[in-house]
Each structure stands twice: as structure tokens, then as C-alpha cells.
Amino acid sequence: MQHRPFVASIRLPLLASLAAATILDAGIAAAETWVITDQSHPTVGDADRHVLLDAPTRLEIELASGLPAAPEQATAVVQRRLKQGGTDLQRRIAAAYQGVTDAWSLGITKVPAVVVDRRYVVYGEANVERAVARIEQHKREQP
């Protein structure tokens, strides 16, 4: 069964809507494109931001890989891995969870999702360029 991608408009909080209107009135109109997906639903094309919803789980698996059965030893190994990973690992963990939080705050319900300007979303289209084209078409038809 093939699902047809569709365009939806995401509700913005009032202040964000006013800020977006102000930016557009000032002539600064740059479309920001996000791809929200997981490893099971790869996408093709460029975006300003790629959010992998399964990134936190993948990091947890990486940290828990090959742990000893004894809880005290396992705790020590994980603490050592966290310390050895340093600021890079901390950044990866923070980015992974921030991506999930941002997708949740937009109300993303399916993957892959291509989001433009945090306002429009196309679900089910793995090609970013085609998804953005659908959004642009929708915006022309529904000004």
C-alpha cells in the first residue's frame, strides 16, 4: 500500500506568527527546511537540518554495547565512556534529544516529514526537493 504525501500547515504560536510576519514584511524571506525521519525511512536531498528521531536510542545502544553483567562494573564502563566521549559526545546527546523535542513541539506525527519554515509539512515524501516543490505549489494555491 503506497501512501500519498500530503501538505499540512502547522499551527504557530501567536508570537512566532507575528515574528514571521515581521520578517516577511521586512523582505527577509528565507525558507528553512528540516527533514525529520529515522534510519528506517531515509531521505534524499539537502535540508538546513536533519533530525533523526531514533538518534537518542542509537546513542544509548552505543553506550551500552558490550557491558559486563555486573551492575557496578557496567556503571563504571558507561561513566568511563561518557567521560572519554567528552564534549563531542555531550553535544551529540544534546542534539539528538533537542531534535526529538523540536519535532514533538511541531506536532510531527509520521516520518519522513519535510518541514518548511516550521509551518508547512509534507509527510511520506522521501525526496526533499519534491516535498519543497509541493509546499511551494500549496502556498501559491492557498496564499
Side-chain angles (χ1 to χ4, degrees):
M1 174 183 202
Q2 184 168 352
H3 296 280
R4 181 185 158 132
F6 65 95
V7 177
S9 182
I10 299 171
R11 293 182 65 193
L12 291 175
L14 179 59
L15 289 177
S17 297
L18 293 174
T22 303
I23 290 170
L24 291 175
D25 287 343
I28 306 169
E32 182 182 37
T33 304
W34 292 7
V35 171
I36 301 171
T37 192
D38 59 22
Q39 281 191 323
S40 299
H41 300 89
T43 60
V44 176
D46 294 326
D48 297 304
R49 183 173 180 199
H50 289 266
V51 175
L52 292 173
L53 296 178
D54 55 354
T57 301
R58 290 191 348 261
L59 284 169
E60 290 174 14
I61 290 169
E62 180 182 321
L63 287 171
S65 173
L67 290 178
E72 302 83 24
Q73 291 175 332
T75 300
V77 170
V78 169
Q79 288 174 346
R80 186 171 52 251
R81 289 176 182 174
L82 288 169
K83 188 175 181 177
Q84 288 172 342
T87 56
D88 181 58
L89 178 59
Q90 291 172 9
R91 181 195 55 75
R92 289 173 51 211
I93 292 169
Y97 281 101
Q98 186 63 57
V100 171
T101 301
D102 290 345
W104 177 79
S105 71
L106 290 175
I108 299 302
T109 58
K110 299 175 186 172
V111 292
V114 177
V115 179
V116 172
D117 290 337
R118 299 182 203 176
R119 182 171 177 190
Y120 300 97
V121 61
V122 173
Y123 290 107
E125 175 60 69
N127 184 298
V128 176
E129 187 176 309
R130 284 196 303 247
V132 170
R134 288 180 60 98
I135 290 169
E136 292 304 320
Q137 178 184 359
H138 173 76
K139 287 166 57 175
R140 283 191 301 275
E141 294 171 358
Q142 307 291 323

